[in-house]
């Protein structure tokens, strides 16, 4: 299976190409909020280095959120456009699940509570545990919660940008990239391109910051 994975939901940009379970390309750009300038060139670079074309891909996987509104929207839009034009199925992957997978890949953790800073004194949160296939699977629902309420959802070691907001001594640095999206997507169900939709959790994510009540 030839799989292209995209990750822009965490404000950075990364692209991974996996062929038959082996990572053939893994590109990462840490420049914040530059996904629109870097994502397509990085995809092209990956295809060139692996000597593949879009038409040869079997699946396009993407981080569908929750996360940065702009990043999630860009990821879904690019995935949908590429998949639709080339008749390729897509695999939407939770950003929080990818974060949990990164915690296993980087630190060997087998049970984590993944937390992302959602701004406005809220976090996105869910817990995951490793299964027999070495995939971090959800053991709780994804939620958008205020800091104090989120405390009740902590089941395991906290990881992610929201961890220090809930636990001051949370020092473990974990950032998911497209490699983690690809790992999960290799055994995940796929959908048609029209269903490559973002997940925001916040109902008013489309509103301007001033309208959301953020100073």
């Amino acid at each position: 299976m030839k799989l292209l994975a995209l990750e822009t939901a965490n404000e950075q940009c990364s692209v991974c190409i996996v062929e038959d379970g082996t990572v053939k390309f893994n590109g990462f750009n840490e420049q914040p909020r530059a996904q629109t300038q870097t994502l397509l060139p990085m995809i092209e670079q990956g295809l060139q280095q692996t000597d593949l074309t879009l038409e040869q891909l079997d699946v396009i996987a993407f981080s569908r959120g929750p996360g940065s509104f702009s990043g999630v929207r860009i990821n879904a839009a690019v995935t949908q456009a590429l998949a639709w034009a080339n008749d390729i199925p897509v695999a939407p992957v939770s950003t929080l699940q990818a974060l949990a997978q990164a915690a296993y890949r980087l630190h060997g953790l087998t049970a984590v509570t993944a937390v992302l800073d959602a701004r406005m004194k809220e976090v996105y949160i869910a817990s995951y545990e490793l299964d027999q296939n070495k995939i971090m699977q959800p053991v709780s629902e994804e939620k958008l919660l205020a800091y104090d309420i989120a405390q009740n959802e902590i089941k395991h070691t906290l990881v992610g940008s929201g961890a220090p907001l809930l636990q001051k001594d949370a020092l473990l640095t974990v950032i998911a990239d497209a490699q983690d999206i690809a790992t999960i997507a290799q055994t995940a169900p796929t959908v048609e391109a029209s269903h490559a939709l973002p997940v925001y959790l916040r109902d008013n994510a489309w509103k301007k910051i001033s309208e959301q009540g953020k100073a």
Side-chain angles (χ1 to χ4, degrees):
M1 179 174 68
K2 300 176 181 68
L3 183 149
L4 169 68
L6 313 178
E7 211 302 306
T8 64
N10 288 308
E11 298 188 352
Q12 292 83 26
C13 180
S14 61
V15 171
C16 183
I17 296 177
V18 173
E19 185 172 357
D20 297 331
T22 301
V23 175
K24 298 294 186 178
F25 175 84
N26 193 35
F28 187 83
N29 188 309
E30 296 185 87
Q31 184 178 357
R33 295 177 294 278
Q35 300 99 322
T36 53
Q37 292 81 29
T38 58
L39 182 56
L40 288 174
M42 195 178 295
I43 293 171
E44 184 177 357
Q45 178 188 6
L47 292 172
Q48 288 178 348
Q49 289 191 16
T50 56
D51 197 26
L52 291 173
T53 64
L54 287 169
E55 293 82 359
Q56 292 175 300
L57 296 175
D58 298 301
V59 180
I60 300 178
F62 74 107
S63 54
R64 47 84 167 158
S68 159
F69 173 67
S70 296
V72 170
R73 183 176 57 184
I74 291 166
N75 220 23
V78 170
T79 298
Q80 192 172 73
L82 295 179
W84 185 274
N86 297 280
D87 194 25
I88 303 170
V90 301
V93 175
S94 162
T95 309
L96 290 171
Q97 186 180 11
L99 179 58
Q101 194 68 38
Y104 171 67
R105 174 174 59 85
L106 296 170
H107 302 286
L109 298 179
T110 58
V112 301
T113 295
V115 192
L116 290 173
D117 184 2
R119 312 300 181 186
M120 293 185 283
K121 297 182 179 180
E122 294 177 317
V123 293
Y124 302 115
I125 187 169
S127 292
Y128 298 84
E129 295 177 2
L130 196 71
D131 69 8
Q132 66 274 16
N133 296 316
K134 297 184 179 180
I135 302 296
M136 294 292 264
Q137 299 291 356
V139 293
S140 68
E141 293 182 2
E142 297 177 346
K143 295 180 181 180
L144 172 66
L145 299 173
Y147 296 169
D148 56 341
I149 300 175
Q151 295 286 345
N152 300 323
E153 296 292 319
I154 300 174
K155 299 179 183 295
H156 305 301
T157 302
L158 287 174
V159 296
S161 62
L165 302 174
L166 303 186
Q167 194 175 86
K168 297 304 180 183
D169 59 350
L171 301 177
L172 195 60
T173 301
V174 177
I175 298 177
D177 63 29
Q179 182 177 348
D180 303 299
I181 299 294
T183 298
I184 296 168
Q186 289 177 74
T187 58
T190 60
V191 297
E192 295 180 353
S194 60
H195 296 290
L197 302 175
V199 171
Y200 298 119
L201 293 188
R202 176 177 284 125
D203 291 336
N204 65 347
W206 57 271
K207 293 183 180 179
K208 296 179 181 179
I209 290 176
S210 60
E211 294 173 331
Q212 295 175 351
K214 181 179 179 181

